[in-house]
Amino acid sequence: MALGILPIAVAIVLLPLGMDFFLSFPFFMYALVMVGGMLSVVFAFTLKIRVDLVPDERSKTTSSIARAFRLAGFTVVEDSQSVTVAFDKWTAIKLAFEEDGGARLKYRLDATRSTLSAILLLFFLSWGVFAIPFCVFLLVRTNGNAMAYIPWVLKGEFDVSPRPGEAQSTKDIRDNLIDSLSEVRRIASDAYWSMHSAMEDAVILSVIVVGLVGGLVLFALLLQTSIFDPYYRVAASLLAGLGVALISSIILAFWLSRRMKQKIEELDSWVTRLDRALLRERKEVDQDGSESSIELLFNAFNEMPRFLKARRKSTLSRYPATQILVLVLVLWGSEFIAGGLSALFSSPLDLLPLAVGLVMVSAAILLYRWSLKKEHAEEIQIAQEWERRREYIRSAVEDQLGGI
Amino acid sequence: MPVEQGMDRPDFYVLARILERLWREGGPMLKTRLQVATNVNYDLLMKYLAWLRSRGFIALEENDGHEVVALTPEGEQAYLKLVRLMNEVIRPQD
């Protein structure tokens, strides 16, 4: 599901309805639901839930938990007291041991960029009341993910235990290979899902845009008809409008999906190759002629800027504050322009909302262009950083192997 | 003329592939099997083996009348350094 466009869809589709609904309420009711929404956010993000551990798991430390989640392919941020694990773009948890009649592992919700953007957007647009169902959704989804993943990861399936008679250097090699492969696999997989989600978002947005254009065509055609026209003329206008919308949507959606499909398939193939290599390192399933893990890592290393770029591309919440501001400026600016246009010829004062609207929309465009430029500059920086690392590895390898 | 002189600059990928395959085998390996496992042309493999041997990373031994290739402790250390280096450069990205 294309969840990336949810905040925008919420704003565009529900905003006008919501405004009418809330304006009909007295102020204290409005304030009450906003406070209720804020309290639900505070409750959802401070509620601590205990994780039941089996005896073998009680000796684990936050660092070993972080490693287990990393090896299982999750994005992990670790500090001295806690481990933050992101399950998907909406759900993340912060795990920590706490003294509660003995050391207990507990987790609470942690905000991802997407959840933070959605919550900020809801409050910014005076839609705080919807934070309540949104927090319920987050709690249920996070709890579901936590219950599914925590026991699976802590079971130790991803731990690399020494094999009988295995030398320490051999185990070190396996540990390092598994660590590197897991990290690259996680980034490639994130890139794959980001690209997938970006494709769905692009297709849905294009269908919406073309649908609106089709609606305008339909409107224009209907203006040419009157109730005195024969019914077939009206029907023909309707069919023409809907036909334009439908055919354009299909063509655009098909073109967009084809354009992105190749990149998605390439990323999928990378994930599969890395999965195969990981399985081999963990289970020692080996066959002559199978792809070398170190060579695969070197090849993947060259692809990293592309993986990271794909991973960053789809995040609608890349610059949450800027995006929310752009959205609000466009929405309010459009309202002002529409209001100004509808009363354009009533009095000269009515030019004021039109001017304000135009300024707001222009500011939104400039802000959006600025964020695109910033993103481009960051991509260049990433590419340079990886080129630097490539050079580093090349010279280090020459040193290690005695002057290649 | 040593065989390795036929090679201007060894391909690092091929070297890593050979070292990895020998490490994974955990013991001496027939040259022909190594060739199949690494998917390297036989003549080229000979050049790489000579290069690796000159640096003490591998040893050639006789086994039942066949010449086999084994990774030396230095070779294993070199491979360990490579994977450590790779790990150090790849992680963490967040």
Side-chain angles (χ1 to χ4, degrees):
Chain A
M1 199 166 87
L3 289 172
I5 61 163
L6 190 66
I8 291 175
V10 165
I12 292 173
V13 179
L14 299 179
L15 180 73
L17 293 170
M19 287 296 229
D20 291 344
F21 177 72
F22 280 112
L23 287 175
S24 64
F25 271 71
F27 177 74
F28 80 92
M29 273 296 283
Y30 169 76
L32 200 67
V33 291
M34 289 294 272
V35 170
M38 283 177 194
L39 286 176
S40 70
V41 173
V42 173
F43 174 76
F45 284 90
T46 51
L47 178 71
K48 288 181 178 170
I49 299 166
R50 209 177 81 180
V51 180
D52 289 323
L53 298 176
V54 297
D56 283 356
E57 294 166 351
R58 288 191 190 131
S59 59
K60 287 194 180 294
T61 59
T62 46
S63 151
S64 66
I65 290 172
R67 184 175 148 77
F69 271 102
R70 256 193 219 109
L71 291 178
F74 292 99
T75 301
V76 175
V77 179
E78 185 185 354
D79 62 34
S80 57
Q81 301 291 320
S82 64
V83 182
T84 306
V85 182
F87 293 127
D88 54 38
K89 70 193 279 189
W90 293 104
T91 58
I93 55 167
K94 199 174 198 117
L95 276 157
F97 282 101
E98 285 188 11
E99 278 302 319
D100 181 12
R104 302 242 184 235
L105 183 63
K106 292 184 177 182
Y107 74 84
R108 64 171 178 76
L109 259 66
D110 200 69
T112 64
R113 282 180 181 176
S114 298
T115 50
L116 197 64
S117 305
I119 289 168
L120 286 175
L121 193 68
L122 286 172
F123 282 103
F124 203 84
L125 298 173
S126 309
W127 269 74
V129 66
F130 283 93
I132 300 170
F134 184 63
C135 287
V136 172
F137 157 76
L138 285 180
L139 277 170
V140 171
R141 191 175 164 123
T142 307
N143 194 48
N145 281 337
M147 290 299 108
Y149 293 128
I150 294 174
W152 178 57
V153 169
L154 295 189
K155 210 161 60 182
E157 201 172 308
F158 300 101
D159 287 351
V160 187
S161 47
R163 291 173 184 152
E166 186 178 59
Q168 187 55 41
S169 60
T170 305
K171 186 179 179 308
D172 284 351
I173 289 173
R174 273 202 305 138
D175 281 353
N176 278 281
L177 281 175
I178 289 173
D179 274 4
S180 304
L181 286 167
S182 304
E183 181 69 5
V184 178
R185 193 252 175 224
R186 185 179 64 76
I187 293 168
S189 171
D190 283 354
Y192 168 80
W193 285 110
S194 294
M195 195 59 110
H196 207 272
S197 163
M199 184 187 76
E200 287 175 347
D201 287 354
V203 169
I204 290 171
L205 281 176
S206 69
V207 169
I208 291 170
V209 169
V210 174
L212 288 173
V213 172
L216 284 177
V217 171
L218 176 65
F219 182 68
L221 288 171
L222 284 176
L223 280 182
Q224 308 296 314
T225 63
S226 81
I227 51 169
F228 303 110
D229 284 337
Y231 74 91
Y232 58 82
R233 216 180 136 190
V234 179
S237 300
L238 275 168
L239 278 176
L242 291 173
V244 167
L246 193 69
I247 293 167
S248 319
S249 295
I250 292 170
I251 292 172
L252 196 59
F254 183 71
W255 177 74
L256 276 171
S257 60
R258 270 199 66 132
R259 215 176 129 223
M260 297 175 92
K261 209 173 170 185
Q262 196 190 343
K263 287 179 187 168
I264 291 173
E265 280 173 356
E266 270 175 39
L267 287 167
D268 188 32
S269 136
W270 270 107
V271 175
T272 309
R273 285 166 69 188
L274 290 159
D275 271 341
R276 215 176 287 147
L278 266 171
L279 184 75
R280 182 182 50 198
E281 298 307 336
R282 284 188 181 129
K283 309 277 180 203
E284 213 176 19
V285 184
D286 194 24
Q287 286 173 328
D288 280 354
S290 58
E291 195 166 16
S292 145
S293 294
I294 189 86
E295 198 178 353
L296 178 66
L297 279 172
F298 275 109
N299 284 324
F301 185 83
N302 292 332
E303 296 290 320
M304 282 294 249
R306 218 160 56 89
F307 292 167
L308 292 169
K309 188 177 170 184
R311 190 170 72 152
R312 295 153 68 97
K313 264 251 181 295
S314 73
T315 48
L316 285 170
S317 54
R318 177 78 192 287
Y319 300 112
T322 312
Q323 282 169 349
I324 289 168
L325 194 57
V326 167
L327 189 65
V328 169
L329 284 171
V330 168
L331 288 170
W332 287 357
S334 315
E335 291 272 330
F336 274 114
I337 291 173
L341 280 177
S342 63
L344 188 58
F345 302 108
S346 313
S347 82
L349 262 184
D350 290 324
L351 280 174
L352 191 64
L354 184 65
V356 171
L358 287 172
V359 168
M360 287 173 97
V361 172
S362 310
I365 293 168
L366 288 174
L367 205 58
Y368 183 66
R369 285 188 54 152
W370 170 80
S371 70
L372 285 184
K373 268 188 186 170
K374 200 172 159 191
E375 199 172 313
H376 183 62
E378 280 179 16
E379 275 163 16
I380 291 173
Q381 204 183 347
I382 289 175
Q384 285 170 345
E385 166 63 17
W386 279 92
E387 188 51 43
R388 190 191 63 73
R389 289 185 193 199
R390 207 180 350 231
E391 277 310 309
Y392 167 74
I393 212 163
R394 204 190 307 275
S395 64
V397 164
E398 286 186 8
D399 289 346
Q400 306 276 350
L401 293 184
I404 293 180
Chain B
M1 184 178 82
V3 188
E4 64 168 306
Q5 280 184 9
M7 198 162 50
D8 291 340
R9 192 182 165 88
D11 183 343
F12 165 68
Y13 284 34
V14 179
L15 284 175
R17 206 189 301 167
I18 295 170
L19 287 175
E20 180 181 324
R21 195 63 198 80
L22 288 168
W23 165 75
R24 213 174 279 289
E25 187 70 14
M29 198 174 179
L30 276 174
K31 278 180 185 173
T32 45
R33 246 197 89 215
L34 181 63
Q35 187 223 333
V36 173
T38 52
N39 198 21
V40 180
N41 166 294
Y42 191 79
D43 292 340
L44 191 62
L45 179 70
M46 292 305 107
K47 289 176 184 171
Y48 275 95
L49 291 183
W51 190 93
L52 286 164
R53 194 181 173 202
S54 70
R55 277 148 181 88
F57 296 149
I58 61 159
L60 296 175
E61 299 162 6
E62 278 291 323
N63 188 354
D64 284 345
H66 296 285
E67 200 171 32
V68 290
V69 189
L71 194 65
T72 61
E74 291 77 20
E76 190 173 44
Q77 281 306 308
Y79 185 58
L80 174 60
K81 280 179 186 170
L82 276 186
V83 291
R84 269 195 188 143
L85 182 69
M86 200 67 200
N87 199 17
E88 178 196 323
V89 176
I90 282 178
R91 313 192 60 225
Q93 293 311 312
D94 293 307

